Amino acid sequence: MRRLPDILVEPVVRLALAEDLGRAGDVTAMACIPEDARMTAAFVARKAGVLAGIEAIRLSVLALDPQAQVDLRLNDGEALAPGAVLAVVEANARAFLSAERTALNLVGRLSGVATLTRAYVEAVAGTGARIADTRKTTPGLRALEKHAVACGGGMNHRFGLDDAILIKDNHVAVCGGVAQAVRRARAFAPHLMKVEVEVDGLDQLDAVLALIDEGAAPDVIMLDNFSLADLRTAVGRAGGRIVLEASGGVDLTTVRAVAETGVDVISVGALTHSAPNLDIGLDAL
């Protein structure tokens, strides 16, 4: 069972609630709902998908009503059918209605990421290629969105600039060449830190592969915007000696063909920057 630690979700929930409540709080709830009124309602999936971020429901409600009863019925990573009940909540009505949109926004957003990721994973099933995310995440939501990718069956690329070295084209330009950049990175990297380099053509690929005999090769080569023919050529030249990652311009209509070239990893920015929200609603009981 995948679970987001509260310490990662609570700051996001509190910031979202503060944004929604503004300076005066939920004036609609205060105007229409008696202060001591109670209500029970269920969070329900309107469409099929994959669940992620269910802890946001619990934490959103409890932030405004610490005495609320929150019954989470499902776990992150589970498949959702239309009509599936994610959670049932009994709480102070004012507090619950004030927390409703924050809870729905977060669980809908994260479940959308998980659902789109699952579609990519299923599209490459049987090829041996794995689907990975990127740093193209919503500012402030990276840990949550990468958790959602994992819930959908994808794997996480680096989380930030500090946990892995990824040499891009602009780094190469400043260093004066791809081989020089990799040698510098390999000399700098601690023994537990991975090094990846982006190449934009077969000539750069050959320059990096030549570093294998020096013992200075990176751990991963990213093949940026390669054609299918060039991807197949790259796989043949690498000969299984190094991990190859395809990236750039991949969508659900092309990902299977990319996977069938024999690359090990396909990174897809769309998992987080273009995933539609999964439709989840709140039904009063």
Side-chain angles (χ1 to χ4, degrees):
M1 178 182 71
R2 295 188 179 276
R3 184 180 182 278
L4 270 168
D6 287 359
I7 195 172
L8 294 179
V9 188
E10 281 181 330
V12 175
V13 165
R14 292 190 177 278
L15 183 62
L17 287 170
E19 180 179 58
D20 220 12
L21 293 170
R23 294 166 298 175
D26 184 351
V27 293
T28 306
M30 288 188 285
C32 300
I33 307 296
E35 187 174 2
D36 60 352
R38 309 289 295 178
M39 71 175 292
T40 301
F43 288 84
V44 180
R46 307 294 192 216
K47 293 184 177 180
V50 178
L51 177 60
I54 196 167
E55 295 297 333
I57 294 175
R58 178 176 62 85
L59 292 172
S60 296
V61 174
L62 292 178
L64 298 186
D65 179 6
Q67 305 306 314
Q69 300 299 310
V70 182
D71 178 15
L72 302 181
R73 300 286 180 87
L74 298 174
N75 298 310
D76 281 0
E78 290 193 54
L80 298 173
V85 176
L86 284 61
V88 175
V89 176
E90 191 277 328
N92 174 273
R94 283 189 184 180
F96 194 1
L97 293 172
S98 298
E100 170 191 356
R101 179 46 52 193
T102 290
L104 288 170
N105 282 349
L106 287 171
V107 74
R109 167 65 185 157
L110 299 178
S111 296
V113 171
T115 300
L116 182 60
T117 302
R118 182 67 56 84
Y120 274 89
V121 170
E122 290 177 349
V124 303
T127 65
R130 300 187 67 185
I131 300 296
D133 56 25
T134 71
R135 286 193 301 123
K136 295 176 182 178
T137 54
T138 307
L141 293 184
R142 179 169 296 165
L144 278 62
E145 291 179 346
K146 282 183 170 283
H147 165 80
V149 167
C151 288
M155 66 178 185
N156 296 143
H157 214 288
R158 59 177 179 164
F159 268 73
L161 296 173
D162 62 337
D163 61 327
I165 294 174
L166 175 47
I167 304 165
K168 306 280 281 182
D169 54 352
N170 288 327
H171 300 103
V172 169
V174 174
C175 286
V178 67
Q180 296 93 312
V182 173
R183 289 190 188 100
R184 290 183 182 182
R186 186 51 80 190
F188 173 89
H191 70 290
L192 291 179
M193 183 173 286
K194 296 283 189 178
V195 176
E196 179 173 10
V197 64
E198 174 189 283
V199 299
D200 58 16
L202 292 171
D203 55 339
Q204 286 191 334
L205 172 71
D206 289 339
V208 175
L209 292 176
L211 297 173
I212 294 175
D213 292 336
E214 290 183 26
D219 300 285
V220 184
I221 300 175
M222 178 188 291
L223 309 171
D224 185 45
N225 285 297
F226 273 42
S227 67
L228 293 177
D230 283 352
L231 286 174
R232 285 189 287 269
T233 299
V235 170
R237 291 184 185 181
R241 294 174 294 166
I242 195 165
V243 174
L244 296 180
E245 173 186 335
S247 183
V250 179
D251 60 31
L252 278 172
T253 68
T254 61
V255 69
R256 178 79 188 186
V258 172
E260 289 175 343
T261 66
V263 295
D264 303 291
V265 179
I266 305 171
S267 53
V268 183
L271 301 182
T272 51
H273 71 57
S274 296
N277 279 21
L278 187 66
D279 190 0
I280 296 171
L282 184 70
D283 296 337
L285 300 178

